[in-house]
Amino acid sequence: MSPNSPVPEPSSSVGRRTVLGAAAAAAALPVLAGVAAPARAAGTATEAAPRALPGGGDLGPNVIVFDPSTPGIQAKLDDVFRQQESAQFGTGRYALLFKPGTYNGLNAQIGFYTSIAGLGLSPDDTTINGDVTVDAGWFNGNATQNFWRSAENLALVPVSGTNRWAVAQAAPFRRMHVRGGLNLAPNGYGWASGGYIADSRIDGQVGPYSQQQWYTRDSAIGSWLNGVWNMVFSGVTGAPAQSFPNPPYTTLDTTPVSREKPFLYLNGSEYRVFLPEKRTNARGVTWGNGTPRGTSLPLSQFYVAKPGVSAATLNQALAQGLHLLLTPGTYHVDQPIRVDRAGTVVLGLGYATLTADNGATVLKVADVDGVRLAGFLIDAGPVNSATLLEVGPAGSAKDHSANPTTVQDVFVRIGGAGAGKATTSMVINSRHTIVDHTWVWRADHGTGVGWDTNRADYGVVVNGDDVLCTGLFVEHFNKYDVQWNGQRGRTIFFQNEKAYDAPNQAAVQDGSVKGYAAYKVGANVTTHEGWGLGSYCYYNVNPSIVQHHGFSAPNTPGVKFHDLLVVSLGGNGQYEHVINETGAPTSGTSTTPSTVVSYP
């Protein structure tokens, strides 16, 4: 929607983020990490015979660890927030970790590239009598650019009875217990475009207000207030009943397969990483009866990586049999990080960022069982990468149903923080992979942005069979945002915007079809299913552009969709149909969705 559009009242249809460059980088904050052991020198890629790399060690200066007796906690939280509040494309990266116990009178305001988390096995081990807040004062009450931040594994007792978490994409709220309500809108109910909740309990009401879309998975809520365009629930006790499109609720009783994100915790004075077990037909939180189910690894089995280490060093650590813990900061990757061993964990803290150098693919996973990728950001570099993340090599065919690979809170960005190009961002070749919450974004604002400047044709390409996506956000690609070629794929919740900056109709012409679909199922696919999928267009460079449809799929009984919508934002471009030749066109400047409840 136009930047001059009025701020909506609660529950009204609202526009999308304005195209605006964001603030400058923040300087690093010199703070202490309260962790177990000092860092030891790592071998370098240039040594003739590299020494064995150590496991464990300290977590570096940008992991800030508190316990209830730490003096000046609020002042430290405020220092980080001052740096990160508007540093949308800055270099600061922070993880704020709270040891088990009770903390009183805190308001942890969470800015860009900041993660806050408890260090207990259960959220209720770490209680903050106070708030963990995201608002949009830095952007005049518009929350549509509140990206790249997270909250995890804490219990909150909000001061007012309701905690505010007004976020957009790439801002997960995981394993949280809110002993009260949760407000997902900014102060003043300005524009908002989120979001994701998983494995959380909100005792009171969740109020999305102006949030356009939201996905909640395997959680428990007291109640849910309203919906704008697309609110999706799977495995959520207390969720509203299925009622799409009015109200726009898509509700699945269970999530077919899920496995929660790995997380760091303290066992006495020892850091460990917990690996939750896989659940089928999941419903509700994993921690409701105390200790969650799963296994854990000591930190000594991880190479604790610091910004500046090379891809060669990371690969040496993996070859030694270590897992990877990426501490906050930026890592330049000039060759693929190769995850070849079954069960390997690659866990990022504080939005650790892997940047492609010289056209490299940042990370490649072999066709093996049970790899867990979680909690990091991948940036394209100025030299085009053919791909940025590959899960399984081409032709992967092994059955991983008993122990799938999971990709969770792994976010991909092309442009915005600087020049970047990638033909395809994320390729999933391994069978049974679970992609649980991702935002794959070709930047529409920031640095290095333009139709050919940050060229990126495809967002997510799925070639593997039996892949499940829960919480799939993919936006602004030059061609297909999602291309799905594998059999028996499933997606629960999809959010998309087509690229704003297409110069003309010819630039997005897919043969004889007007515009590339946001989500295309390949012609040879015979079985596929999706629930709660939305695509929006905002062709502000050339508002005359027409999208024939948002979704394209074979017209066959085994390919099924439930609760689809397309929206034209302020009449900047239009859709002729929702899926294939089905669904009414959008028209005029209305932001009223065109919907299809069931297809075929």
Side-chain angles (χ1 to χ4, degrees):
M1 182 170 285
S2 163
N4 298 317
S5 297
V7 174
E9 294 295 323
S11 307
S12 67
S13 293
V14 291
R16 276 291 271 149
R17 70 182 70 99
T18 57
V19 182
L20 183 74
L29 180 69
V31 286
L32 243 15
V35 290
R40 287 170 280 182
T44 67
T46 58
E47 292 175 346
R51 291 173 294 167
L53 294 167
D58 79 273
L59 301 181
N62 286 15
V63 176
I64 309 167
V65 181
F66 304 103
D67 66 46
S69 65
T70 302
I73 296 176
Q74 186 65 55
K76 290 184 180 180
L77 295 174
D78 291 345
D79 282 346
V80 173
F81 181 64
R82 272 191 293 271
Q83 293 187 55
Q84 300 304 113
E85 179 182 13
S86 58
Q88 181 172 179
F89 298 113
T91 57
R93 303 285 187 275
Y94 294 96
L96 309 173
L97 304 182
F98 286 76
K99 294 181 180 181
T102 300
Y103 301 78
N104 295 314
L106 297 181
N107 180 21
Q109 300 179 82
I110 307 300
F112 286 99
Y113 313 110
T114 304
S115 298
I116 187 170
L119 286 169
L121 265 182
S122 165
D124 288 328
D125 293 340
T126 311
T127 298
I128 293 178
N129 288 307
D131 295 83
V132 171
T133 302
V134 177
D135 206 343
W138 75 277
F139 200 37
N140 301 313
N142 179 346
T144 60
Q145 292 183 23
N146 281 348
F147 314 136
W148 304 306
R149 63 199 76 197
S150 65
E152 187 171 354
N153 206 27
L154 292 165
L156 305 179
V157 184
V159 170
S160 70
T162 300
N163 189 74
R164 186 185 301 278
W165 186 255
V167 297
Q169 288 80 2
F173 197 80
R174 288 185 181 269
R175 295 178 54 77
M176 295 289 287
H177 184 188
V178 181
R179 298 176 191 161
L182 187 63
N183 183 344
L184 302 178
N187 185 27
Y189 304 105
W191 303 342
S193 180
Y196 175 91
I197 293 171
D199 199 22
S200 294
R201 181 182 298 279
I202 292 90
D203 293 345
Q205 184 176 73
V206 180
Y209 298 102
S210 53
Q211 283 285 0
Q212 294 159 329
Q213 68 277 317
W214 201 277
Y215 175 50
T216 307
R217 177 182 64 71
D218 299 350
S219 294
I221 61 176
S223 61
W224 189 273
L225 179 61
N226 74 298
V228 176
W229 290 337
N230 191 30
M231 303 286 159
V232 179
F233 309 84
S234 67
V236 178
T237 64
Q242 169 71 33
S243 58
F244 187 90
N246 188 25
Y249 299 148
T250 298
T251 302
L252 286 72
D253 190 58
T254 62
T255 304
V257 187
S258 66
R259 189 174 69 193
E260 299 304 330
K261 174 181 171 287
F263 61 91
L264 191 69
Y265 76 102
L266 273 172
N267 180 28
S269 60
E270 177 197 21
Y271 283 94
R272 299 182 70 89
V273 173
F274 193 81
L275 306 177
E277 70 175 14
K278 186 189 77 167
R279 297 198 290 170
T280 56
N281 298 318
R283 182 171 172 83
V285 301
T286 62
W287 46 269
N289 296 317
T291 304
R293 298 175 67 89
T295 58
S296 70
L297 297 169
L299 197 63
S300 60
Q301 292 184 23
F302 285 79
Y303 175 64
V304 180
K306 306 292 171 54
V309 303
S310 67
T313 299
L314 297 174
N315 281 327
Q316 181 191 343
L318 291 167
Q320 285 179 208
L322 294 170
H323 306 275
L324 297 181
L325 185 73
L326 305 172
T327 64
T330 298
Y331 301 73
H332 283 270
V333 177
D334 61 357
Q335 60 178 276
I337 300 166
R338 296 188 178 276
V339 179
D340 295 330
R341 188 179 70 256
T344 300
V345 180
V346 180
L347 176 62
L349 300 178
Y351 284 82
T353 301
L354 304 172
T355 300
D357 282 356
N358 303 323
T361 296
V362 167
L363 195 149
K364 293 186 176 185
V365 180
D367 192 18
V368 294
D369 273 355
V371 170
R372 304 184 194 228
L373 309 178
F376 55 91
L377 174 62
I378 294 174
D379 255 335
V383 178
N384 185 71
S385 295
T387 58
L388 291 170
L389 172 63
E390 294 181 15
V391 179
S396 295
K398 294 179 181 177
D399 187 322
H400 302 297
S401 56
N403 190 8
T405 285
T406 46
V407 181
Q408 299 177 284
D409 301 347
V410 173
F411 308 115
V412 182
R413 178 171 67 186
I414 302 94
K421 292 185 178 182
T423 303
T424 303
S425 292
M426 183 184 296
V427 182
I428 308 296
N429 292 317
S430 286
R431 292 182 63 194
H432 302 101
T433 298
I434 300 171
V435 180
D436 174 45
H437 190 228
T438 189
W439 184 39
V440 182
W441 186 57
R442 175 182 167 266
D444 60 271
H445 63 275
T447 302
V449 171
W451 183 249
D452 291 309
T453 306
N454 62 328
R455 182 82 195 184
D457 285 351
Y458 307 100
V460 175
V461 174
V462 179
N463 297 317
D465 294 340
D466 307 291
V467 170
L468 171 65
C469 290
T470 52
L472 183 60
F473 298 72
V474 189
E475 297 190 297
H476 305 153
F477 285 83
N478 295 81
K479 292 186 178 179
Y480 294 119
D481 298 278
V482 173
Q483 169 75 58
W484 203 300
N485 301 315
Q487 297 288 354
R488 297 176 299 280
R490 292 175 290 185
T491 295
I492 303 172
F493 182 89
F494 172 68
Q495 186 267 328
N496 165 263
E497 284 184 335
K498 295 304 301 171
Y500 293 172
D501 54 346
N504 50 49
Q505 188 73 49
V508 293
Q509 193 74 9
D510 180 18
S512 62
V513 178
K514 300 172 187 173
Y516 289 89
Y519 187 108
K520 179 177 175 64
V521 180
N524 295 324
V525 173
T526 57
T527 307
H528 187 91
E529 196 158 10
W531 297 262
L533 282 63
S535 176
Y536 321 149
C537 72
Y538 182 67
Y539 288 116
N540 63 325
V541 171
N542 188 335
S544 68
I545 290 175
V546 173
Q547 277 280 133
H548 184 66
H549 46 220
F551 302 90
S552 174
N555 188 9
T556 184
V559 176
K560 303 174 183 178
F561 288 92
H562 315 274
D563 301 355
L564 300 171
L565 69 146
V566 296
V567 180
S568 169
L569 300 177
N572 291 279
Q574 301 290 348
Y575 293 89
E576 292 180 329
H577 300 286
V578 178
I579 180 169
N580 293 348
E581 308 301 315
T582 299
T586 60
S587 63
T589 60
S590 169
T591 56
T592 301
S594 176
T595 61
V596 168
V597 173
S598 182
Y599 183 88

